[in-house]
Amino acid sequence: MKNKIWLSSPHMGGNELSYIHQAFDENWVAPLGPNVNEFEHSLEEFLNAEVKVAALSAGTAALHLALIECGVEHGDEVICQSMTFSASANPIAYQGAIPIFVDSEPETWNICPLALEEAIKDRMTNGKKPKAIVAVHLYGMPFNVDEVMEVANKYEIPVIEDAAEALGSTYKGKACGTFGRFGVLSFNGNKIITTSGGGALVCHSEDDKNKAVFLSTQARDNAPHYQHSQIGYNYRMSNICAGIGRGQMEVLNDRVEARRKMSAFYVELFKNIAGVTVFTEPNAQYFSNHWLSAIIVDPAKAGLTREDVRLGLLEDDIESRPLWKPMHLQPVFANSPYYGGDICEKLFENGLCLPSGSNLNDEDKKRISNRINEIFK
Ligand SMILES: *Cc1c(COP(=O)(O)O)cnc(C)c1O
């Protein structure tokens, strides 16, 4: 019997269990301990020595704390890339703030700098300056950092960089997650490395990190009893999960290489198939970890829709998935303003993510290529 081929599944490196054993041996079975500290240090080193990283229970928690630290409050407006996973936008609602969605650009599939400026100007004309901008490096592809930061700096609005899918990606040689006022990482089970569930907030000062740790551990003031002058959260990463993270950091570069090889595999596979474009970097300034490989199917040229491809793959138990459905099309955000055109709507209509795991072997790839060739025969 054939195994299911997954879009993206966990891929252990080998040393994860020994760090977990260490935690048990020393009885650090808690949301703090040596694994948490070491995991944070290895992330700081990987990103660059200047940043300070707070390990948290989820990427979503990191986004929430970033918004709080940017001063986002009830009734404020926050700009958010529409083409993304709902976790980029949900924490805006947790704060009682209003998400203002912005279209993507065709080159990176990420927030369009022109539509971003249009949105800021229009909101300011309406009397409200957005409190923050959530920009996403979708599927590992860096957003247009120079132009997005230029617009953000011009209007002095902090950027929260959602790098949940982009650990290991770089723009002009600099790590994604380190450009904004805050960066957000995720170690969910389907991400490029995993802690079974977890995330991190990338900060640019010890103060910002300390504030995140304070808020993530129930905002306890300095007193012998439990004293609170702010609302806190239970968002810290456990020392067990961080043990998995330590093991995963040892193989992160291998994982990036393997995911990039999957992308190269699809570029080769679709080279001679009309009407299909594989999502690749617009130029050499962009380096994607290719967390997920994705294609655009042009039905007029391919003679097939992306649903035909998805269902065709499913017949051989090969998982694929349409691109993220834009947030401004989601029922839950139906009342939120939207700026831009139909770029992200078209991407959603014709785009498909393909199996991209670093643990796919030659046999899996053969099965995928045979099936694709059959679908497009
Ligand atoms: C996975 C993901 C998140 C959320 O991370 P969790 O660790 O699952 O909470 C946020 N944004 C994007 C773009 C993601 O893909």
Side-chain angles (χ1 to χ4, degrees):
M1 221 186 75
K2 284 190 206 163
N3 295 325
K4 182 172 179 117
I5 295 181
W6 298 96
L7 204 61
S8 177
S9 67
H11 186 184
M12 293 299 104
N15 289 334
E16 290 84 359
L17 265 180
S18 67
Y19 292 117
I20 293 176
H21 274 132
Q22 202 176 310
F24 274 72
D25 291 342
E26 296 165 2
N27 204 29
W28 282 108
V29 186
L32 79 168
N35 283 338
V36 174
N37 300 336
E38 287 306 316
F39 183 44
E40 288 176 342
H41 287 150
S42 61
L43 284 166
E44 286 164 3
E45 233 161 67
F46 183 86
L47 293 169
N48 77 49
E50 304 301 311
V51 295
K52 297 285 167 209
V53 172
L56 302 170
S57 57
T60 311
L63 277 154
H64 190 188
L65 295 185
L67 291 167
I68 294 171
E69 289 205 40
C70 285
V72 172
E73 291 176 355
H74 192 271
D76 285 340
E77 295 188 348
V78 174
I79 289 184
C80 184
Q81 181 170 321
S82 185
M83 182 86 188
T84 187
F85 179 46
S86 65
S88 305
N90 282 338
I92 299 170
Y94 300 168
Q95 281 306 95
I98 298 143
I100 309 292
F101 293 114
V102 171
D103 199 4
S104 289
E105 55 170 10
E107 295 83 5
T108 65
W109 297 4
N110 292 312
I111 195 163
C112 169
L114 298 175
L116 170 64
E117 182 158 23
E118 183 201 328
I120 294 171
K121 279 185 178 160
D122 191 58
R123 298 325 290 179
M124 284 170 71
T125 312
N126 286 351
K128 244 183 189 168
K129 181 169 143 181
K131 270 289 184 65
I133 297 164
V134 179
V136 190
H137 305 293
L138 219 56
Y139 306 120
M141 185 65 70
F143 59 74
N144 186 337
V145 174
D146 280 354
E147 288 185 26
V148 169
M149 293 310 293
E150 194 184 310
V151 172
N153 291 337
K154 182 170 161 189
Y155 295 93
E156 297 180 313
I157 303 172
V159 170
I160 298 170
E161 206 187 332
D162 185 344
E165 303 176 358
L167 182 58
S169 298
T170 62
Y171 175 83
K172 290 188 173 175
K174 208 170 163 234
C176 287
T178 65
F179 295 101
R181 170 89 167 74
F182 291 100
V184 168
L185 303 175
S186 168
F187 314 108
N188 205 332
N190 59 349
K191 298 287 155 69
I192 191 153
I193 60 166
T194 182
T195 59
S196 72
L201 187 67
V202 182
C203 306
H204 291 275
S205 73
E206 195 76 48
D207 262 11
D208 279 351
K209 176 186 167 166
N210 289 342
K211 187 139 189 248
V213 171
F214 169 78
L215 290 170
S216 72
T217 50
Q218 307 288 20
R220 286 157 58 179
D221 294 339
N222 198 4
H225 55 275
Y226 281 95
Q227 174 84 16
H228 307 275
S229 32
Q230 273 187 73
I231 294 295
Y233 303 86
N234 184 3
Y235 280 172
R236 194 73 164 127
M237 180 177 277
S238 100
N239 195 53
I240 303 298
C241 293
I244 307 175
R246 282 181 79 180
Q248 290 273 278
M249 284 306 287
E250 295 172 3
V251 293
L252 174 54
N253 284 320
D254 299 338
R255 299 297 180 259
V256 173
E257 205 186 307
R259 298 254 177 183
R260 287 179 54 84
K261 277 195 180 142
M262 281 310 295
S263 169
F265 160 75
Y266 287 116
V267 169
E268 184 62 28
L269 177 58
F270 287 103
K271 202 171 56 183
N272 297 317
I273 296 179
V276 177
T277 325
V278 179
F279 185 37
T280 55
E281 287 93 337
N283 61 53
Q285 297 182 336
Y286 295 80
F287 179 93
S288 170
N289 68 7
H290 285 293
W291 169 59
L292 291 188
S293 288
I295 54 170
I296 297 294
V297 182
D298 179 346
K301 290 186 188 144
L304 295 170
T305 66
R306 80 98 201 282
E307 270 309 276
D308 295 328
V309 182
R310 189 181 72 80
L311 294 170
L313 287 167
L314 200 59
E315 271 177 39
D316 196 24
D317 222 3
I318 300 167
E319 185 184 31
S320 66
R321 191 171 298 153
L323 301 191
W324 300 124
K325 180 172 180 175
M327 289 304 115
H328 73 278
L329 301 179
Q330 299 285 357
V332 71
F333 292 122
N335 295 325
S336 297
Y338 171 73
Y339 292 85
D342 63 355
I343 302 287
C344 64
E345 293 177 19
K346 284 272 157 46
L347 287 169
F348 171 61
E349 201 176 299
N350 297 321
L352 191 67
C353 295
L354 299 170
S356 309
S358 47
N359 47 6
L360 295 175
N361 59 30
D362 288 345
E363 210 175 302
D364 297 326
K365 288 187 198 169
K366 190 84 210 142
R367 215 170 108 198
I368 294 166
S369 61
N370 284 346
R371 190 75 206 136
I372 288 288
N373 286 324
E374 210 160 294
I375 294 168
F376 284 92
K377 197 162 60 189

